[in-house]
Amino acid sequence: MSAPVLFVIVGKNEPLFEAEIDTHSSVGAPGQNDLSTRQNYFVLHSALDLVEKSAWTTNSMYLRVVDKVNHQQVSTFLTAANVKFMLLHGGKGEEVVKNFFNEVYGYYVKLSMNPFYKYDTPITSKAFEARVRAAARAYLS
Amino acid sequence: MSSKSQASQAGQALWSKMPKANAELFALTYGSLVTELVRDYEDPIEVNAQLDRIGHSIGVRCVDEFLSKADVAGMGMATQCQNLRDTAEVVAKIGFKMFLGIQAEVGGFSQDQRSFSIYLHDNPLSTFVELPPGDESSGGDDLSRLKYSNLYCGVIRGALEQVNLKVECNIVRDTLKGDEMNEIRVELKEVLADGAGDDYKEE
């Protein structure tokens, strides 16, 4: 039973979207206890500095694994406008994570075309969340 | 009666001759217009009224273009519509097709033949649009009363006004609110007398 993955979208000042996705159950995971959830968020956010660093080393959008903590890895994808998609996972393959990020990027672009969505604000669309969870289940399980 | 397919063919032919614009640009421009209006007026009902007004100005100009192009193409549309049913067909099959490239359908004729509905399966104005979920906490306006495509109502009203038909239009079903298709209800209020006003009446 693999641990849930944590997917966060970080804008310039604040997180825009967070989802804890359990790829093996049919609903979004309330299974984990609060402590490890909080720890996961902490790990993810502390990896932000490393994201900045590795952004300079490559000119592709996918930054692969930027940080490794215990048995977990943080992979990042940087959009053209410096919005960071970060995934905390327990060692998924790089290709797999890259495909997941590309799919979510597509949904993110469609979302930003919505005139009612103000750029760099928290994402409240239920449709977007459903799509991200579906993509996670499709690519990451 | 092959008038229905005649109308469709006419619509298709006219559409192919019209200059085209990028659909995404069109949708994004309209989206910015609506969000600006929402920011300025706040109240969704007021925004609907503004969209209707803007649509009215557009419709008044569209109908001239339509009549001139249809005549030139010799579609035989120079012959007048005999009744409201013909008008409805012309608006939906030729008008919507020519200006937007979409196939609209008519139906829902009332008993007294004074109102009808236009059904749109795809709405090019609302590509990518999702109405934001209502926030109970924020003092924000509830956009569920916003009629995003109210422009169409204004356009139809303006266009038919120029040909002496005073109508009232409403959007009754909207895909943005969860319905399967968009429906615009058009009701004929009165047929205006052809007139240039009292000043020009001969003594």
Side-chain angles (χ1 to χ4, degrees):
Chain A
M1 179 66 173
S2 78
V5 295
L6 182 60
F7 175 65
V8 173
I9 300 182
V10 182
K12 242 191 287 229
N13 303 317
E14 54 172 347
L16 306 179
F17 179 76
E18 284 159 356
E20 200 178 338
I21 306 165
D22 190 349
T23 52
H24 286 271
S25 77
S26 53
V27 285
Q32 274 222 329
N33 56 39
D34 267 346
L35 182 60
S36 50
T37 305
R38 267 201 285 274
Q39 214 176 16
N40 288 340
Y41 278 114
F42 181 72
V43 166
L44 207 78
H45 288 285
S46 64
L48 280 172
D49 290 333
L50 292 165
V51 169
E52 297 287 319
K53 242 178 61 175
S54 49
W56 292 110
T57 63
T58 169
N59 62 4
S60 69
M61 293 172 123
Y62 179 46
L63 297 179
R64 300 173 186 271
V65 176
V66 302
D67 194 18
K68 281 197 182 71
V69 171
N70 303 331
H71 301 293
Q72 293 175 314
Q73 301 170 340
V74 177
S75 299
T76 310
F77 179 93
L78 218 54
T79 69
N82 256 329
V83 171
K84 305 168 187 57
F85 293 174
M86 302 179 69
L87 188 72
L88 181 73
H89 58 93
K92 308 274 179 200
E94 298 215 317
E95 267 308 299
V96 167
V97 175
K98 180 175 179 192
N99 291 334
F100 170 68
F101 277 144
N102 276 318
E103 177 130 348
V104 174
Y105 186 39
Y107 297 141
Y108 177 75
V109 167
K110 288 206 185 87
L111 173 84
S112 56
M113 301 270 253
N114 179 6
F116 291 111
Y117 172 66
K118 187 153 178 276
Y119 176 68
D120 215 22
T121 53
I123 296 172
T124 53
S125 157
K126 294 267 175 297
F128 179 75
E129 184 178 344
R131 288 194 194 115
V132 167
R133 287 185 183 276
R137 246 181 294 285
Y139 287 98
L140 299 175
S141 57
Chain B
M1 277 275 170
S2 63
S3 63
K4 263 194 186 166
S5 57
Q6 246 185 353
S8 305
Q9 277 173 343
Q12 186 64 42
L14 285 169
W15 165 245
S16 59
K17 295 204 191 114
M18 297 287 280
K20 312 285 191 298
N22 184 309
E24 290 188 1
L25 179 63
F26 179 60
L28 290 175
T29 307
Y30 184 68
S32 320
L33 173 72
V34 174
T35 40
E36 272 308 301
L37 285 174
V38 167
R39 250 189 291 261
D40 287 346
Y41 291 98
E42 312 239 328
D43 177 22
I45 306 296
E46 185 57 41
V47 175
N48 292 342
Q50 289 299 326
L51 286 174
D52 188 79
R53 236 179 27 91
I54 295 172
H56 185 270
S57 312
I58 296 177
V60 158
R61 289 160 181 77
C62 277
V63 71
D64 284 329
E65 188 174 348
F66 164 75
L67 288 170
S68 65
K69 291 230 161 79
D71 267 6
V72 165
M75 299 288 161
M77 287 300 149
T79 57
Q80 285 184 321
C81 295
Q82 298 303 322
N83 51 30
L84 193 66
R85 194 174 274 268
D86 287 345
T87 310
E89 287 291 327
V90 167
V91 167
K93 292 271 167 11
I94 310 186
F96 271 83
K97 182 70 185 173
M98 177 177 157
F99 289 105
L100 294 170
I102 54 180
Q103 203 60 273
E105 278 154 21
V106 286
F109 282 95
S110 64
Q111 281 289 39
D112 56 4
Q113 300 289 310
R114 283 176 79 86
S115 46
F116 61 92
S117 286
I118 299 183
Y119 303 102
L120 301 169
H121 293 278
D122 327 288
N123 184 355
L125 289 178
S126 61
T127 326
F128 303 125
V129 179
E130 216 180 279
L131 288 178
D135 292 321
E136 326 77 37
S137 53
S138 80
D141 1 282
D142 180 20
L143 290 178
S144 63
R145 287 177 299 155
L146 177 70
K147 293 190 178 160
Y148 191 82
S149 310
N150 216 33
L151 194 84
Y152 290 141
C153 295
V155 171
I156 295 172
R157 190 170 65 86
L160 290 179
E161 200 174 279
Q162 294 302 97
V163 291
N164 291 326
L165 296 172
K166 184 153 169 220
V167 296
E168 231 175 60
C169 294
N170 283 308
I171 298 199
V172 295
R173 279 196 289 170
D174 196 346
T175 47
L176 291 178
K177 306 244 169 78
D179 302 311
E180 339 73 67
M181 63 164 88
N182 304 295
E183 182 182 339
I184 305 174
R185 189 84 195 146
V186 182
E187 264 174 48
L188 177 64
K189 288 290 155 194
E190 63 179 296
V191 178
L192 302 164
D194 218 358
D198 286 332
D199 300 331
Y200 295 97
K201 274 211 172 72
E202 290 187 34
E203 289 298 312

